[in-house]
Amino acid sequence: MNLLDVVPVIPVVVVHNAADAVPIAKALVDGGLPVIELTLRTPAALEAIKRIANEVPEIFVGAGTVVDTHQPQQAVANGAQFLVSPGSTPALRGAMRDSGLPHLPGVSTVSEVLKLLEYGYSEMKFFPAEPAGGAPFLRAIHSPVPAARFCPTGGITPANMGDYLASPNVGCVGGSWLTPADVVARQDWATITHLARTARELANVTD
Ligand code: 3PG
């Protein structure tokens, strides 16, 4: 499957309390974004993935911030359906491939892009997008390296997402702005639905 073509905006979510996971997932689905990437940066992340996989079957749930070779199997065991890593090493790629899940390794330079193409990947995460050159970087490498397609994350906002999505080698963008920490802390699920719906509408404008 092509991970970059499921939704135009992948919500990247940091969950500190596993009890928040299901209402966040439902709020995103209600806002028209039935994909969620739970970052493996908090002790609650694997439990959050498990709860979403069990209780919100209509969302496509994945694990992000995969940075060590044990995490892909842990993610699978908890019901993850895709994996995302901010980078790419031979061992990490091997572990992600062994999981059997669709996955996006991360790149931030042309040589890293070429290396992943050599390994048979055409879809990658571009991270950290804004510090690493942003939409101009992606547009500039499309002509010399047309086979690579990207999901940029890191500094994407409603204000700049359209610029990224307009680049021919961008399939979708990802970001944490859909689930701000303060909004999650006050369990304001309606605001998450609103942010998701707004992102979805903005993305449609660039179609
Ligand atoms: C990621 O893990 O992809 C990024 O940390 C998300 O970046 P953002 O918080 O700038 O959206």
Side-chain angles (χ1 to χ4, degrees):
M1 74 166 307
N2 296 327
L3 276 176
L4 301 192
D5 299 317
V6 183
V7 285
V9 182
I10 296 180
V12 177
V13 180
V14 181
V15 169
H16 295 281
N17 179 359
D20 293 335
V22 165
I24 290 173
K26 286 182 174 167
L28 292 170
V29 170
D30 288 348
L33 292 178
V35 176
I36 184 167
E37 175 189 328
L38 274 303
T39 61
L40 300 182
R41 294 178 205 178
T42 59
L46 288 171
E47 175 66 20
I49 290 171
K50 186 196 270 181
R51 290 188 188 197
I52 292 171
N54 287 336
E55 297 178 43
V56 196
E58 60 273 34
I59 205 164
F60 189 48
V61 58
T65 322
V66 173
V67 292
D68 83 49
T69 55
H70 304 294
Q71 288 171 324
Q73 212 39 58
Q74 291 170 339
V76 170
N78 284 279
Q81 296 166 292
F82 68 94
L83 304 172
V84 182
S85 174
S88 170
T89 69
L92 202 53
R93 275 199 307 277
M96 290 199 288
R97 282 219 159 134
D98 288 348
S99 76
L101 297 183
H103 56 278
L104 289 180
V107 294
S108 62
T109 68
V110 173
S111 294
E112 290 167 0
V113 172
L114 294 178
K115 222 178 268 180
L116 283 184
L117 287 171
E118 285 173 6
Y119 283 112
Y121 291 89
S122 57
E123 296 193 330
M124 1 189 143
K125 167 169 166 139
F126 175 52
F127 179 82
E130 281 290 290
F137 174 92
L138 293 173
R139 266 196 296 277
I141 68 169
H142 176 56
S143 173
V145 196
R149 295 178 71 228
F150 302 93
C151 174
T153 82
I156 314 293
T157 66
N160 63 17
M161 65 175 265
D163 196 22
Y164 281 94
L165 289 171
S167 186
N169 51 1
V170 171
C172 65
V173 300
S176 63
W177 85 88
L178 301 140
T179 53
D182 60 321
V183 171
V184 174
R186 61 173 190 265
Q187 305 195 328
D188 180 1
W189 314 132
T191 290
I192 291 177
T193 295
H194 174 72
L195 289 168
R197 192 170 291 133
T198 304
R200 183 89 218 197
E201 285 165 7
L202 277 172
N204 287 344
V205 170
T206 64
D207 271 355

